[in-house]
Every structure is written in structure tokens, then in C-alpha cells.
Amino acid sequence: MKPRIALIAHDKKKDEMVALASDYVDFLRGCTLMATGTTGGRLANELGLTIERKHSGPFGGDLQIGAELVEGRLDAVVFLRDPMTPQPHEPDINALVRACDVHNVACATNTSSAHLLLAQLRLQAMKK
């Protein structure tokens, strides 16, 4: 079964997300990917990844991804958050991260933890 990964990035982290995904692009092409609106668009346009795009975060995209997670349709979440900029949809962000904890789904919230998570998922996929 292909790993099912959600990719989300706040505005000031979108360039980091594209750079991160480019480091794992061959692996990510073999995954089922989901992303919030603009992030998904950039990953599709700039890296050629096939991504199920949800709404942007402020318009409910984080909640849509949270619902997919609760239904067991995600194995991991990479959410590059901008901790220095207030977000108008902060309650949705907190709900998504909380859902990861409640449902024991790996969640990376910065590039260091994202590299660890994606490297491990890639290693597991190569063993299968």
C-alpha cells in the first residue's frame, strides 16, 4: 500500500515545502498525496506531483485534512507551520495537530522533523 501523506505549509513556509518535497520527489511520486490549496498547487506545478487538493487552510482545508485523518485515510502529516505569524484559523490548525496526536498519526511541523519523517517513510517503502 502506498504511503498516504498530507502536505501543508503556511505562506512563509511554502518555499521550504517545495524545497523539502524536491528532496523526496521520487519517493513522493509513489505516494498518495493530499494538500491544502495553494501548497498543493505549487507542488503540482513546480514538481509535477499528483496531489488531491483541498481548500486553503483559512477556508477549511486544515479541517478537511483533519477529517481524512480521522477516517484513517492518512499515514502522516507534514505541516510546516509559521510559529511567528498569527494565523486567523489557529483553532483549525490546533484541531488538526490534536487529531494527529489522538489518532497516533505522525506529524512533522518543521523541516528537521519533516526530513526525519519522510526519510523513514521512504526507507519503509523500500523494504516492501
Side-chain angles (χ1 to χ4, degrees):
M1 190 163 102
K2 297 196 264 186
R4 302 164 299 177
I5 305 169
L7 303 168
I8 308 163
H10 284 149
D11 289 344
K12 292 183 180 178
K13 299 291 184 173
K14 291 192 191 313
D15 290 339
E16 286 179 43
M17 177 62 82
V18 171
L20 172 73
S22 70
D23 288 345
Y24 297 90
V25 70
D26 291 332
F27 165 66
L28 292 173
R29 282 194 178 106
C31 298
T32 299
L33 302 175
M34 183 179 305
T36 48
T38 308
T39 302
R42 286 200 53 190
L43 293 169
N45 293 335
E46 296 177 37
L47 301 177
L49 293 171
T50 301
I51 299 180
E52 179 184 344
R53 290 175 61 193
K54 302 295 187 182
H55 292 293
S56 67
F59 292 97
D62 298 329
L63 292 175
Q64 288 178 301
I65 289 177
E68 296 283 346
L69 184 148
V70 168
E71 294 296 324
R73 293 190 282 264
L74 283 172
D75 301 310
V77 174
V78 175
F79 192 164
L80 299 185
R81 298 170 60 186
D82 177 6
M84 303 308 287
T85 303
Q87 302 295 326
H89 60 294
E90 194 71 36
D92 298 350
I93 296 163
N94 292 336
L96 175 57
V97 173
R98 185 178 304 110
C100 288
D101 290 341
V102 168
H103 294 277
N104 201 31
V105 171
C107 179
T109 59
N110 59 55
T111 53
S112 293
S113 59
H115 277 289
L116 290 170
L117 175 59
L118 292 174
Q120 182 62 32
L121 289 172
R122 180 175 59 190
L123 183 63
Q124 288 176 347
M126 290 185 335
K127 290 180 179 180
K128 292 181 180 180

